[in-house]
Amino acid sequence: MNAPVQQAQVDILNRLYSMKLEQIEQANREGNSLRYQVLLAEAEAILSALNSTK
């Protein structure tokens, strides 16, 4: 894959992962366990995508 394109994808995934972590913290503070679990699964999927780009 083209290096600049791959770096752009990594940057996007990193930003998404950071945003997802913030959402997880908010759901945890609110005590919304279902939302927390869904967000956690989404974060794991993003992390998996990040790891596959390396």
Side-chain angles (χ1 to χ4, degrees):
M1 184 182 298
N2 187 328
V5 171
Q6 185 175 7
Q7 185 58 46
Q9 288 179 338
V10 168
D11 292 344
I12 291 168
L13 289 170
N14 275 322
R15 194 167 71 239
L16 285 172
Y17 187 69
S18 293
M19 291 168 47
K20 196 59 61 179
L21 291 178
E22 290 175 16
Q23 291 174 332
I24 288 170
E25 290 175 16
Q26 181 181 5
N28 191 35
R29 283 193 306 270
E30 294 171 353
N32 191 336
S33 64
L34 180 59
R35 184 167 186 254
Y36 176 86
Q37 291 173 5
V38 170
L39 291 168
L40 191 58
E42 291 174 351
E44 290 171 353
I46 295 167
L47 187 58
S48 176
L50 263 171
N51 289 333
S52 71
T53 61
K54 294 179 181 179

